[in-house]
Amino acid sequence: YDYLAIMARKVCKPLLQGGRPVDPVSYIVEAARHAGITMIGEGHAEPLTRDFIGKVAVALRDQGYADYAAETFNVGIGGKSPAMPLASDGTYSNEPIYGRLIRRLRSLDYRLAPYEADFGIIDRKGNVGQQRRVMQAANLLAQMKRETSKLLVHAGEGNHSELVRANGLRSMGAIFAETSGIDPLTIDTISQEAPGEVPVVCDPAAFEGMPHSFDIRIGMPKLVFERGRPRWRLEAGDHFAAIPASLRRPDEIAVYEARPAGERGDSTPMDRLLLRPGETLPLLLPPGRYDLSVWTEKDGWSPIVPLSVAAD
């Protein structure tokens, strides 16, 4: 689904100010000043959307946002600790860029909370998707009642849409608005494409007359690769790092994981590579010291090999 959505999206017209595209993070911050809850969705196959959501979370922290609810989080994630992201934190948060996002949230002292529906009590004979969205909206409202700060919601795909379909079915954002009486600020990051290599705010005038689904649409750029890795990560501060010769397994399917030095083995890695026989790709990591290991079906996980990534 996610792949098909990416292929089908169209290039949007950027919103301009003074002849230049407006900064999308600043634009969201200004809109969020007057909202008690902001919902922003990711593309499950697009880590770039997670990086963008991280920038939004940083910018909103000083605007009264201290609670962060995510669709992926498991009940046991814990509001304030540990600082490192764990494999047990959620259903799809074990991806490295999501792990980096959790690290950023922890450093900003966000309280992390789940809001996914309890599938154990869903009636499987009914509309499972609709029941799920109703429960999600109820969980978010309960979270808002428990805390006094503003709430930032990290949704999956377009589940937080405010669209009410002709057949009466509603997405989670619409259900939340109707049942709570609170109008959420909703932000889409997957349906539109940026014309260049940076995210843009899509001009809302282009969507006038269409059924309302999102308050803000962000066009995300097409991926550009360098040495087989996404270039946006280089621009964000990552550096190429070669896999040490002692760890290379060129004749086997191998998974390589790099964690900050000293972190426990069940933390979400900063980078992960799956290489097939004959493939060669570099790691992408911020400057620092790491513990690197490799997994193969024959041998399991290797002993840790230290790796240093220099700032230059």
Side-chain angles (χ1 to χ4, degrees):
Y1 168 78
D2 193 54
Y3 175 76
L4 293 176
I6 294 170
M7 294 299 292
R9 65 188 182 189
K10 298 180 180 180
V11 176
C12 76
K13 177 184 177 182
L15 180 65
L16 304 179
Q17 187 174 45
R20 294 177 175 273
V22 302
D23 176 69
V25 175
S26 298
Y27 186 83
I28 290 171
V29 168
E30 185 58 34
R33 291 183 194 276
H34 311 293
I37 178 171
T38 293
M39 300 180 178
I40 184 167
E42 69 159 39
H44 291 328
E46 294 184 278
L48 176 56
T49 60
R50 295 170 181 166
D51 181 75
F52 179 80
I53 292 171
K55 293 175 181 176
V56 171
V58 171
L60 289 181
R61 188 62 182 86
D62 291 334
Q63 304 301 319
Y65 285 82
D67 292 289
Y68 195 101
E71 178 186 276
T72 183
F73 289 164
N74 289 327
V75 173
I77 187 171
K80 295 271 188 173
S81 63
M84 69 189 75
L86 302 179
S88 59
D89 280 348
T91 54
Y92 53 83
S93 56
N94 195 32
E95 186 272 325
I97 301 305
Y98 211 128
R100 296 190 193 190
L101 169 60
I102 293 175
R103 285 183 170 89
R104 194 179 302 180
L105 296 172
R106 296 291 198 195
S107 72
L108 294 169
D109 208 30
Y110 268 102
R111 287 183 292 267
L112 307 188
Y115 75 91
E116 183 55 277
D118 182 352
F119 285 90
I121 62 175
I122 284 180
D123 179 6
R124 299 288 177 173
K125 296 180 181 180
N127 187 320
V128 173
Q130 195 70 0
Q131 292 177 75
R132 177 197 182 205
R133 291 186 282 271
V134 169
M135 289 186 190
Q136 287 178 328
N139 290 340
L140 289 174
L141 181 57
Q143 173 70 17
M144 291 191 73
K145 290 180 178 179
R146 283 193 298 270
E147 308 291 347
T148 57
S149 66
K150 294 182 178 182
L151 176 62
L152 180 56
V153 178
H154 182 153
E157 302 294 342
N159 193 38
H160 60 305
S161 167
E162 297 181 70
L163 181 65
V164 178
R165 301 184 183 278
N167 60 5
L169 291 180
R170 290 156 169 76
S171 294
M172 185 273 289
I175 294 170
F176 176 87
E178 291 178 3
T179 57
S180 69
I182 301 170
D183 183 19
L185 175 67
T186 51
I187 304 160
D188 165 50
T189 66
I190 65 170
S191 70
Q192 305 297 314
E193 184 178 304
E197 291 191 26
V198 296
V200 298
V201 179
C202 298
D203 192 337
F207 305 97
E208 290 180 357
M210 298 174 60
H212 179 68
S213 54
F214 297 100
D215 297 311
I216 299 173
R217 290 178 174 85
I218 303 297
M220 303 301 290
K222 278 187 176 180
L223 287 182
V224 179
F225 294 89
E226 187 169 331
R227 295 177 61 184
R229 305 302 309 272
R231 186 187 293 171
W232 70 263
R233 287 180 55 179
L234 292 168
E235 295 169 350
D238 279 7
H239 293 250
F240 288 125
I243 297 170
S246 62
L247 278 186
R248 294 175 192 162
R249 305 290 189 268
D251 300 323
E252 303 176 77
I253 294 176
V255 177
Y256 301 86
E257 291 188 343
R259 292 176 173 81
E263 272 197 2
R264 42 194 274 191
D266 62 341
S267 72
T268 301
M270 292 288 284
D271 197 19
R272 179 191 291 120
L273 283 175
L274 184 152
L275 298 182
R276 295 173 177 81
E279 282 188 312
T280 302
L281 287 173
L283 295 160
L284 268 181
L285 294 163
R289 295 171 54 248
Y290 297 91
D291 291 337
L292 182 62
S293 56
V294 60
W295 176 92
T296 63
E297 186 174 17
K298 181 179 69 175
D299 299 323
W301 285 104
S302 72
I304 289 172
V305 171
L307 176 70
S308 293
V309 180
D312 59 358

